[in-house]
Amino acid sequence: MARIKLGVLVSGGGSNLQAIMDACDSKQLDAEVVFVGSDNPDAKGLDRAAKASIPSFVTDYDRIRRNYLENQGAVMLPEDFDLEDILEKQCLFPEQETGQRVQSFFRIKALAERDLLENMKPFSFDLLVLAGFMRILSPYFIDRVNRDPEKPRIMNIHPALLPSFPGLDGYADTFDYGCKVGGCTVHFVDYGEDSGPIVGQKSFDIKPEDTLETVRSKGLELEWALFPECIRLFSENRLILEQRGHKRVVRVLPPV
Ligand code: GRF
């Protein structure tokens, strides 16, 4: 396969972005980062992109949400926004929950995601990498990136051994639970929260002398190795989706 193009979304420090850019530079990865996007204008990841002369943009989720609320929802939704279709697909709220709160949630998501898609439009890319992007993506966005459901192309890294501890702070949840093993997971993004098919995982021991801080730093170090490895499997066309019971899983093909 030819060198692949990566789009990367970040919300914060961007150390995973850095690890991916370094893996591209050192040819460990036959890929290039073609854009970096963020929901946070102050993300340090944006500075890392600038330093590497990679184009970047910001979709200001907070501003978009405020604007929606200030105008009591009287804002122009994307023309192709189909609330019913989204409510049917989403796996974030219980099926029977379809009231105003849930509807506003998906309307605001679609407004922000339309902006994200507009910002991404100038760039062609093979894989969209969520490298510490702290926003949930809705079916509106996912369907417009994953044009072929058999070939998902949004990859996320999560700071826990999924399916344990989905959500915002996997390392804290792992540590607070008293786990003796922690880890990180790379998975494709689906309509749920951190629930998509797992591509790869790495684990580490949690010793009695560990603190939340040491757990975070052990985990992050593994993330920097895991993410490029998983992107590499994608670039080598070695990730195949298959059905196992009720679950879609990734089968990793051996190298050719
Ligand atoms: C990582 O721990 C990632 O797993 C989580 O957020 C953190 C991002 O770190 N989702 P960085 O921005 O890549 O330094």
Side-chain angles (χ1 to χ4, degrees), residues 28-102:
Q28 182 206 337
L29 204 51
D30 194 11
E32 64 175 313
V33 178
V34 294
F35 70 80
V36 173
S38 182
D39 60 321
N40 168 17
D42 300 321
K44 207 175 146 225
L46 293 170
D47 301 336
R48 295 184 192 266
K51 221 177 226 166
S53 306
I54 294 169
S56 67
F57 59 79
V58 174
T59 285
D60 193 338
Y61 271 62
D62 289 339
R63 190 187 49 74
I64 291 168
R65 181 168 182 277
R66 262 198 319 272
N67 185 42
Y68 178 89
L69 296 176
E70 278 164 12
N71 291 289
Q72 293 171 2
V75 294
M76 281 281 278
L77 288 162
E79 259 175 37
D80 56 356
F81 176 72
D82 181 347
L83 182 63
E84 255 171 54
D85 176 61
I86 287 171
L87 290 176
E88 205 173 293
K89 287 174 175 161
Q90 67 86 19
C91 302
L92 299 167
F93 302 94
E95 224 176 287
Q96 63 280 10
E97 238 190 88
T98 55
Q100 272 313 317
R101 188 179 73 97
V102 172

Side-chain angles (χ1 to χ4, degrees), residues 5 33 35 58 62 64 78 80 92 98 110 137 142-143 145 165-166 172 174 177 191 194 223 239 251:
K5 293 183 162 73
V33 178
F35 70 80
V58 174
D62 289 339
I64 291 168
D80 56 356
L92 299 167
T98 55
L137 296 170
I142 294 169
D143 287 355
V145 175
F165 310 118
T174 302
Y177 199 91
Y191 298 142
D194 302 320
E223 290 184 35
L239 303 174
R251 175 193 288 274

